[in-house]
Amino acid sequence: MPSIPLQRTLAVSSLVYAAALWGLVWYPYRLLDQAGVGGIASSFFSYATPLLLIGWLHGRALHTARGHWLWLSALGLAAGWTNLAYVLAVLEGEVVRVLLLFYLSPLWTVLFARFLLHEKLNRAGWAVMALAAGGALAMLWQAGDWPLPRNYAEWLGLSAGVMFAASNVISRHLDSVTEGAKAVSIWAGVAVLTVIGLALKPAELDFMADAEAATWLLLLGVGIAIGSMTYAVQYGLARVPANQAIVIFLSELVVAAIAAYFLSDERMGVQEWIGAVMIVTASLFSGHMEDDRKGKPHV
């Protein structure tokens, strides 16, 4: 067993790794889209890969957690939508705007925690909620229009953040379940949702008829990366306080912004930067949103 300082270093490093990879993974998904592999199909193959390759290793853990299967199913579907919606959103929208809407998750976390875990806000919590909501208004405001996401991709990004909050609150409820069982539930959740999506849009599988070896290798590579990220997140969240974890996760925004600048030539205006600063600040203080007697939900 590693020492406590080493274990903490590994946990922090795993979250940094996951955040950085999430800030970059949108690009190979776009490359796959250009190769004719739609977002639903690429999500299916990239999440089915770790499920089939290593999911069986956690069969015993899943059996042990059989009393929690209902909650594990809820975790899988919530996290499944988070990941699928994220992929579809970054394929069609501006990466940084999508991620900023995603990182409204502290706002949704406290609402889910209030109703599912009966956790109450303190004064700082209300301030964080107001700051996050204000950031969204600042970023989305357009004269004469309601301050709402402006396209399908941004609605997907917003919904991904809502489900991210739900999945983390459910994960808190499942503290006694192993990380491996949770990881398998997440992979399976994406697989189930994408199978439904492919049933509705079977044309997304047409690429299989003449896909080049490079396309299959890229799908395999993304699948392996997804599997490693899921493990990294579960390992880190189990060992790093939630308020520190959200700070680390915010590095995803930095990585994504730099990558988007060089790889897709995306830019944000002054109004969007003001909203971004407010949302990021709200996320930084999200660890202080609940009464200390009740504990803190993961965000």
Side-chain angles (χ1 to χ4, degrees), residues 11-49:
V12 171
S13 298
S14 70
L15 292 178
V16 172
Y17 164 78
L21 212 51
W22 266 120
L24 293 170
V25 76
W26 60 270
Y27 187 65
Y29 275 118
R30 285 193 177 181
L31 293 179
L32 287 167
D33 188 59
Q34 293 169 10
V37 188
I40 299 175
S42 60
S43 295
F44 170 75
F45 284 102
S46 55
Y47 281 86
T49 296

Side-chain angles (χ1 to χ4, degrees), residues 65-256:
R66 61 188 180 278
H68 302 284
W69 279 5
L70 183 60
W71 281 108
L72 281 172
S73 298
L75 172 64
L77 292 175
W81 180 256
T82 297
N83 291 284
L84 176 58
Y86 171 86
V87 170
L88 296 176
V90 295
L91 285 179
E92 299 187 29
E94 295 179 24
V95 174
V96 178
R97 282 181 63 89
V98 166
L99 282 178
L100 285 169
L101 287 168
F102 180 88
Y103 275 105
L104 283 171
S105 53
L107 183 64
W108 317 122
T109 296
V110 74
L111 296 176
F112 285 120
R114 178 68 182 92
F115 290 104
L116 297 179
L117 301 176
H118 307 293
E119 294 178 344
K120 296 181 179 180
L121 283 180
N122 55 22
R123 291 180 181 177
W126 286 109
V128 168
M129 285 185 65
L131 189 60
L137 289 174
M139 187 178 71
L140 299 171
W141 182 266
Q142 294 181 3
D145 294 325
W146 287 96
L148 297 172
R150 62 188 183 187
N151 54 45
Y152 175 66
E154 292 183 4
W155 279 110
L156 284 173
L158 182 65
S159 71
V162 173
M163 288 298 101
F164 179 66
S167 65
N168 282 320
V169 171
I170 295 170
S171 181
R172 176 185 173 87
H173 183 73
L174 292 171
D175 278 343
S176 61
V177 177
T178 66
E179 297 146 23
K182 292 179 184 178
V184 173
S185 298
I186 292 169
W187 300 331
V190 180
V192 168
L193 291 178
T194 51
V195 165
I196 295 173
L198 290 173
L200 297 174
K201 296 182 65 176
E204 288 219 4
L205 294 175
D206 290 348
F207 81 95
M208 298 176 65
D210 53 4
E212 297 180 356
T215 300
W216 289 111
L217 287 175
L218 184 56
L219 276 171
L220 178 63
V222 172
I224 293 172
I226 290 293
S228 68
M229 280 192 292
T230 308
Y231 276 129
V233 169
Q234 295 302 318
Y235 180 85
L237 284 178
R239 294 164 178 82
V240 174
N243 57 346
Q244 183 181 359
I246 192 62
V247 175
I248 296 171
F249 279 137
L250 284 172
S251 62
E252 177 185 342
L253 281 170
V254 179
V255 174

